[in-house]
Amino acid sequence: MKIANLWRNLIPAPIRLRSEPWVTAGAMTFLEEFVVRVPDADVLEFGSGGSTIWFSTRVGSLLSFEHDPGWAQAIRTALIDVPNVDLRLLERPYFNHIFDFKDDSFDLVLVDGRDRVECARLAKRVLRPGGIMMVDDTNRINDRYSELPAVMDNWQRIDFEVFERRKKKGPKHRNTTVWIKPLMLASA
C-alpha cells in the first residue's frame, strides 16, 4: 500500500454536503413541483442530507430521522437558525419512532436512509390521503427492497429512472419511486 493511500485511510475526509436531495433528476423535478403545489407541506424524512437542507427553505415543517452522529452534526451545522426543521438523532431502528405520530400527519415522506422497507411500511399510516411516499434507490428491488411493491400495494406508482455513466465501474442504473396514497382506501 502506498503511503499516500495509508494516510487517506487514517485521516477522515471532510463531509461535503449537497444542497439538494440525491435522487434521480425526474424525482427532483417531481419534488420541485410538489413544494410549489404544497408550500406549507409537513415532511418526514428517514435519513438526512442534502434533502434536509433543500426542504428547509421550501416546506412548512420538516422532521428528519438520522442515526449517524457525525452526519447529524454536519447537517445541524448547515441548518443553524432554521426553525422549521426538527432533526432527531435516533438509534436504529429509527422507524419505531413513527408510532409517536398520529395518522395523517405528513404530506410527504422521503425514505432515503436505513431499513427502507420497514420505514415505508410503518410510514404509510402517518401519510395524509393523497400524500407522497418517495423511496430512493428502488432499483435494488430485486434484492434488499424486494418487498416494497407489496408493501405499497394499490397505491399509484411512478418510477423515475436514470442510467449514470461512471468512468471506472461502467454504467449504473438508479431509480427513485413515488407512491401516492389513495384518497380513500378500499375496505376489505
Side-chain angles (χ1 to χ4, degrees):
M1 177 181 286
K2 293 180 180 179
I3 298 293
N5 290 337
L6 178 65
W7 282 107
R8 206 172 289 144
N9 293 333
L10 295 175
I11 300 171
I15 294 175
R16 287 187 237 165
L17 298 175
R18 295 173 58 96
S19 59
E20 62 183 33
W22 197 347
V23 295
T24 60
M28 190 65 217
T29 299
F30 184 94
L31 286 175
E32 289 167 345
E33 292 172 2
F34 175 83
V35 297
V36 169
R37 285 192 333 261
V38 190
D40 294 326
D42 297 311
V43 176
L44 169 63
E45 69 174 347
F46 293 95
S48 63
S51 55
T52 313
I53 295 166
W54 188 83
F55 280 127
S56 71
T57 60
R58 292 170 174 83
V59 300
S61 69
L62 172 63
L63 173 61
S64 183
F65 293 169
E66 178 58 52
H67 73 280
D68 184 285
W71 190 247
Q73 185 55 48
I75 301 299
R76 281 193 179 108
T77 300
L79 293 175
I80 293 174
D81 297 326
V82 181
N84 66 326
V85 177
D86 180 1
L87 175 60
R88 298 185 185 183
L89 178 61
L90 303 168
E91 290 185 17
R92 288 182 59 204
Y94 46 49
F95 56 75
N96 286 328
H97 295 274
I98 201 72
F99 296 111
D100 298 341
F101 300 93
K102 295 178 182 177
D103 291 1
D104 305 334
S105 295
F106 298 97
D107 300 295
L108 176 111
V109 175
L110 174 61
V111 183
D112 194 14
R114 304 291 184 190
D115 309 308
R116 294 179 194 199
V117 172
E118 204 55 30
C119 288
R121 181 188 326 274
L122 295 176
K124 287 171 61 175
R125 177 186 62 79
V126 299
L127 196 59
R128 292 184 178 119
I132 305 300
M133 175 81 68
M134 181 177 280
V135 183
D136 194 33
D137 295 319
T138 52
N139 49 291
R140 301 176 189 166
I141 231 155
N142 292 332
D143 53 0
R144 199 178 324 181
Y145 306 137
S146 62
E147 294 178 52
L148 264 172
V151 166
M152 305 308 293
D153 189 36
N154 297 322
W155 288 31
Q156 180 183 351
R157 176 180 176 165
I158 306 168
D159 287 301
F160 299 100
E161 297 181 78
V162 67
F163 290 89
E164 299 173 346
R165 292 181 179 228
R166 300 184 301 176
K167 290 182 181 178
K168 294 184 180 180
K169 296 182 180 179
K172 178 182 179 186
H173 171 239
R174 288 193 61 233
N175 204 34
T176 304
T177 301
V178 165
W179 282 276
I180 302 171
K181 186 173 184 176
L183 294 174
M184 298 183 71
L185 293 175
S187 53

